[in-house]
Amino acid sequence: MNRIIVISMCLLGTGCRYDGKSLSWEGLELVANRFFILPVCPEQLGGLPTPRPPAKIETGDGFTVLDGKSRVLTVEEKTDVTPNFIKGAEEALRIANLFRENVKAVILKEKSPSCGVKSIYNFKSDSLKPGKGVTAALFIKNGYRVLSSDELEEIKKL
């Protein structure tokens, strides 16, 4: 039976977000007593510090980055952090693959350039656009069921 859920670590109250803050995620109670939780923070796994400058995908989304056709840049200084985002996604996938047969789903933090499932931020504005983060795209490419942290009704069905 599939009893593991891979979850963005920031959703568990760990202060690993880009701004060093933690989150209180209402979906945690839906999975906490039913699954073994495997937390991952792709940005930390990719070698980025916490806190860190906010970053966005320059054009396209995580699939575009994985295809080598776009970059992940910090918002203010335009520092290229693409290698960190790709390394972090690969490390998160490597960890999940250790338990692949038992992973029921991957639940990732919406709007993140790593973990966004339905939407990410536009590079040139603070508006949202449809798209996947780098880690979400890599998990999808590797056949995992990936859910947004906002999809509480789907999470209830797990």
Side-chain angles (χ1 to χ4, degrees):
M1 179 174 242
N2 301 337
R3 301 304 307 162
I4 297 175
I5 299 288
V6 178
I7 298 184
S8 296
M9 191 180 302
C10 63
L11 295 173
L12 305 175
T14 303
C16 60
R17 286 172 31 110
Y18 76 94
D19 58 8
K21 295 180 181 175
S22 62
L23 293 172
S24 175
W25 178 54
E26 61 185 300
L28 184 56
E29 65 187 52
L30 300 174
V31 295
N33 295 319
R34 297 172 40 219
F35 299 96
F36 177 83
I37 294 173
L38 185 61
V40 295
C41 177
E43 292 173 26
Q44 286 184 338
L45 289 168
L48 294 172
T50 301
R52 58 192 161 271
K56 296 180 183 177
I57 296 173
E58 189 174 28
T59 59
D61 69 356
F63 288 110
T64 314
V65 172
L66 292 173
D67 289 342
K69 297 176 181 171
S70 186
R71 304 177 296 169
V72 183
L73 303 175
T74 60
V75 174
E76 295 294 320
E77 298 191 10
K78 310 295 186 264
T79 303
D80 187 348
V81 290
T82 306
N84 301 93
F85 275 72
I86 291 173
K87 179 184 177 195
E90 289 171 344
E91 285 298 308
L93 178 66
R94 184 186 64 76
I95 291 166
N97 281 343
L98 294 172
F99 307 96
R100 184 165 187 118
E101 295 120 27
N102 297 312
V103 174
K104 178 79 171 172
V106 178
I107 301 171
L108 299 174
K109 173 66 180 96
E110 195 55 69
K111 304 175 189 170
S112 160
S114 285
C115 297
V117 175
K118 303 247 182 235
S119 60
I120 55 175
Y121 282 99
N122 279 307
F123 186 73
K124 295 181 180 177
S125 72
D126 279 335
S127 64
L128 291 170
K129 66 178 184 177
K132 314 280 187 225
V134 177
T135 300
L138 189 61
F139 272 112
I140 291 166
K141 281 180 87 165
N142 281 273
Y144 281 90
R145 180 177 185 195
V146 179
L147 298 172
S148 163
S149 56
D150 293 344
E151 293 183 278
L152 296 178
E153 288 305 313
E154 284 301 310
I155 293 168
K156 284 179 188 175
K157 297 175 186 176
L158 292 175

